[in-house]
Amino acid sequence: MDYSQFLSVVSAAREENVIKVTSDLAQKKPSVIMISGGMPNPNYFPFKTASFTLQDGTTIEIGEALMKRILQYSSTEGIPEFLSWLRDLQMSLHNPPTANYTPDQGQMEISVIIGSQDSLSKVFEILVNPGDNVLLEDPSYPGTLSALEPLGCNIIKVPTDKCKKANNNLPKLLYTVPNGNNPAGTSLTADCKKKLYQTCSYDFLITEDDPYYFLQIEKINIHLCLFVFLSHTLRLGFLTGPKPLIDRVILHMQSSTITSTFTPVSTIAQLHNYLTGLFLKTKVMEFYRTQRDAMLAAADKWLKGLAEWNIPTAGMFLWIKIKRISNIYQIITENVSLIPGQLFSIDSSDPTPFVRASYSFASPNQMDRAFQNLAELIKETVCKDQNKLAFLETCFH
């Protein structure tokens, strides 16, 4: 595939930062004598050693030599050891066929990035021109909307298993959250993923954002992920995708981001234990399953007949539709700490009866009290509206 056709005008015009290239070379090949770059002398860094303890009790020690390295600037795409670990992770989880492609064919490439929002903005900026058509799930994560809307693209709300023409042009890309959509809590089925993958024959990109892959509450099937372009975890992100596109992200980073190696190095141990350690992974999933069930129990106790909701299959959110109230914004923002649905809508001016609740932090007792308060507010609001309607009817008779 010719990936150059997908690049934005800005991305296509970008050239390598020569100073950053020479610095990256020094990071990759310590034998190179470095007298060209602007790296500070590590002998005068303020920290010498560090240690921290993981959830499973493992203690990680960072000695003086390693501390000098991790406080220094890193190569743009990430330190080699961490990239190698991430490649092994992707192969063990997804085994993408692109791993065996040539670079020109779109060989799988990985780049470390500072977080999810940074990932989103850079991916969209290398791909999207004003007027391009972008398919987007609705409701959608507000960070996605804030990254896309200023680019002047045409955001099209369509079901994620369909590809439709718009303005007589095919869309340039589809953005999807396959597991635990924020805010809806929904996940794509295996059949839907296969249909989405087949739409690539229309010659457009699928951008997959999968922060809740390891928070699939009911079941994790590591062989269902058919497309991986964007993925991130914790507050450190990484991009996986065709080398021609990842190379463009790296060019963008050369002009926008000076990276440190501290977070990647210290995170290797966390990722290893958090993602691949069976005990801790099971413990995390059990926690979120218990939390979700507690929130569902509170909703069933207080909101039955007042609201509707689906059971989340991944992530940490419950998407609730309030009955008989067309615009929930005022009572939610003033009285109950829930997120009104407008913030997740492509057209935020539209009134909505939806709210998002999170079960990641509150205790079961707090969930129970919150939904009791919400139920009382709903009843009070509906009662006021009914009284207002009855009064208006008397005025016209």
Side-chain angles (χ1 to χ4, degrees):
M1 179 182 288
D2 178 16
Y3 287 98
S4 64
Q5 65 180 305
F6 298 108
L7 296 179
S8 67
V9 173
V10 172
S11 182
R14 245 182 237 290
E15 296 181 356
E16 284 189 323
N17 180 331
V18 177
I19 293 178
K20 196 70 179 79
V21 171
T22 58
S23 299
D24 289 355
L25 178 63
Q27 289 290 320
K28 295 173 184 176
K29 295 184 178 181
S31 61
V32 173
I33 299 175
M34 185 64 176
I35 60 173
S36 60
M39 294 189 296
N41 190 307
N43 292 324
Y44 294 91
F45 288 153
F47 303 106
K48 280 196 170 185
T49 63
S51 66
F52 53 92
T53 304
L54 306 183
Q55 283 274 9
D56 65 354
T58 302
T59 299
I60 304 298
E61 301 286 347
I62 300 176
E64 187 171 347
L66 182 58
M67 181 64 78
K68 286 181 178 180
R69 184 184 177 197
I70 67 178
L71 292 179
Q72 189 59 273
Y73 297 144
S74 71
S75 59
T76 304
E77 63 269 33
I79 61 171
E81 298 94 327
F82 191 39
L83 290 171
S84 176
W85 188 89
L86 290 173
R87 287 190 183 95
D88 291 342
L89 176 68
Q90 292 292 61
M91 292 302 297
S92 64
L93 293 179
H94 308 304
N95 192 26
T98 56
N100 298 316
Y101 286 10
T102 65
D104 290 341
Q105 290 174 322
Q107 181 184 51
M108 182 187 81
E109 186 61 276
I110 295 177
S111 176
V112 176
I113 207 159
I114 61 174
S116 62
Q117 193 62 43
D118 190 49
S119 301
L120 288 172
S121 63
K122 283 184 168 57
V123 167
F124 292 145
E125 286 175 13
I126 71 161
L127 297 176
V128 178
N129 287 309
D132 283 343
N133 295 316
V134 176
L135 304 184
L136 189 64
E137 297 167 335
D138 189 38
S140 193
Y141 173 56
T144 304
L145 297 171
S146 66
L148 273 175
E149 288 172 342
L151 300 179
C153 59
N154 302 316
I155 299 177
I156 306 166
K157 297 184 291 184
V158 296
T160 56
D161 60 348
K162 295 181 180 179
C163 177
K164 296 182 179 180
K165 289 187 176 182
N167 300 332
N168 298 316
N169 293 310
L170 283 171
K172 196 171 196 178
L173 64 91
L174 161 70
Y175 170 86
T176 182
V177 180
N179 300 300
N181 172 283
N182 178 7
T186 55
S187 299
L188 299 180
T189 64
D191 184 60
C192 186
K193 288 181 180 181
K194 291 176 182 177
K195 290 179 180 178
L196 279 176
Y197 195 64
Q198 290 168 359
T199 61
C200 285
S201 61
Y202 288 107
D203 209 20
F204 78 101
L205 296 175
I206 298 172
T207 303
E208 177 183 284
D209 188 359
D210 205 2
Y212 305 118
Y213 180 83
F214 283 93
L215 291 186
Q216 296 179 64
I217 296 170
E218 300 302 330
K219 181 181 180 182
I220 289 183
N221 190 325
I222 64 175
H223 301 296
L224 290 183
C225 188
L226 299 174
F227 41 88
V228 180
F229 184 73
L230 169 63
S231 54
H232 53 79
T233 183
L234 304 179
R235 291 297 174 235
L236 176 74
F238 64 95
L239 294 168
T240 305
K243 181 174 174 56
L245 296 182
I246 297 300
D247 286 347
R248 284 287 152 179
V249 173
I250 293 171
L251 284 182
H252 189 153
M253 293 170 64
Q254 286 179 357
S255 64
S256 65
T257 308
I258 297 179
T259 53
S260 165
T261 56
F262 184 86
T263 301
V265 169
S266 61
T267 304
I268 289 176
Q270 297 182 56
L271 284 168
H272 179 73
N273 286 274
Y274 186 74
L275 300 182
T276 61
L278 179 62
F279 169 76
L280 187 55
K281 185 171 65 177
T282 303
K283 181 179 178 181
V284 170
M285 286 191 296
E286 286 297 331
F287 168 79
Y288 280 96
R289 182 183 294 110
T290 300
Q291 289 287 101
R292 179 203 62 176
D293 292 346
M295 178 162 282
L296 290 172
D300 191 63
K301 176 181 178 181
W302 296 108
L303 301 180
K304 183 178 289 186
L306 301 175
E308 299 173 347
W309 57 88
N310 293 318
I311 298 176
T313 56
M316 56 184 70
F317 305 112
L318 183 65
W319 188 236
I320 304 170
K321 181 180 180 181
I322 308 299
K323 295 181 178 181
R324 302 176 69 181
I325 298 178
S326 60
N327 189 358
I328 200 69
Y329 190 88
Q330 184 174 358
I331 69 167
I332 293 304
T333 55
E334 291 183 359
N335 297 286
V336 180
S337 181
L338 295 168
I339 306 297
Q342 280 100 333
L343 299 182
F344 306 95
S345 176
I346 292 174
D347 187 350
S348 60
S349 63
D350 288 344
T352 178
F354 288 95
V355 294
R356 190 197 76 176
S358 172
Y359 47 83
S360 67
F361 192 79
S363 69
N365 286 336
Q366 289 173 327
M367 296 177 197
D368 187 81
R369 294 201 307 271
F371 281 179
Q372 181 182 8
N373 292 339
L374 178 60
E376 293 172 355
L377 284 170
I378 293 171
K379 293 175 183 177
E380 180 181 337
T381 302
V382 170
C383 183
K384 286 181 179 178
D385 290 344
Q386 288 176 338
N387 291 338
K388 186 184 297 182
L389 179 61
F391 173 76
L392 291 173
E393 286 178 345
T394 60
C395 292
F396 289 97
H397 286 82

